[in-house]
Amino acid sequence: QVHLVESGGGSVQSGGSLKLSCVYSEYTSSTVLAWFRQAPGKEREGVAAIESDGEMHFADSVKGRFSISKDSDKNTLYLQMNSLKPEDTAMYYCAADYGGWPTLRGPLQSSAYSYWGQGTQVTVSS
C-alpha cells in the first residue's frame, strides 16, 4: 500500500514563503511525483511535477515562484513556495504515479495519478 503524507502547510502573509514536504512510501524508476492544490469551489489543479529522470513541470501561475525537489535518501518530496499570493490559498496535495500515466495524460493532470496524500492547508493573507 502506497502512503503519502504531507506536512508544512500554514498561514503566511502575501510575499512570504513556505516549504511543503511529502514523505512517500515507494519509489520506482517510473515514478512521477507531483503537487496539486484545490481551493474552495474550484477544481483541483496541478502545481508542479517531477519525473524520475529529474524533468520538472510547473503550472504557469507558479513559474518563477515555486520549485519542486526530492530527497531520495529521505523519500521526501518538497515544494518550495516563494512570493506567495492570496490566490495561492488552497489545500495542497501530494500525488504519485508508478504506471506511466502522467506521460500519457500530462504530468499536471490529476487523472494521471493513482495515489494521493491527505493534504495540507496553505493560507496566504493580503
Side-chain angles (χ1 to χ4, degrees), residues 27-34 49-52 55 57 95-103 107 113:
Y27 194 85
T28 70
S29 60
S30 61
T31 299
V32 180
L33 300 169
I50 184 167
E51 300 187 35
S52 57
E55 184 173 359
H57 308 271
D97 183 80
Y98 303 88
W101 288 109
T103 299
Y113 293 86

Side-chain angles (χ1 to χ4, degrees), residues 4 19-24 26-35 48-56 58 67-80 94-98:
L4 302 168
K19 187 174 185 178
L20 306 183
S21 300
C22 171
V23 177
Y24 48 88
E26 294 186 25
Y27 194 85
T28 70
S29 60
S30 61
T31 299
V32 180
L33 300 169
W35 288 99
I50 184 167
E51 300 187 35
S52 57
D53 63 358
E55 184 173 359
M56 294 177 282
F58 295 93
S67 62
I68 188 171
S69 62
K70 59 182 174 67
D71 185 331
S72 299
D73 292 337
K74 297 182 179 179
N75 274 20
T76 302
L77 176 72
Y78 300 102
L79 183 69
Q80 177 67 48
C94 174
D97 183 80
Y98 303 88

Side-chain angles (χ1 to χ4, degrees), residues 96-119:
D97 183 80
Y98 303 88
W101 288 109
T103 299
L104 296 174
R105 296 180 175 176
L108 297 181
Q109 296 298 315
S110 59
S111 62
Y113 293 86
S114 303
Y115 301 96
W116 295 84
Q118 82 288 350

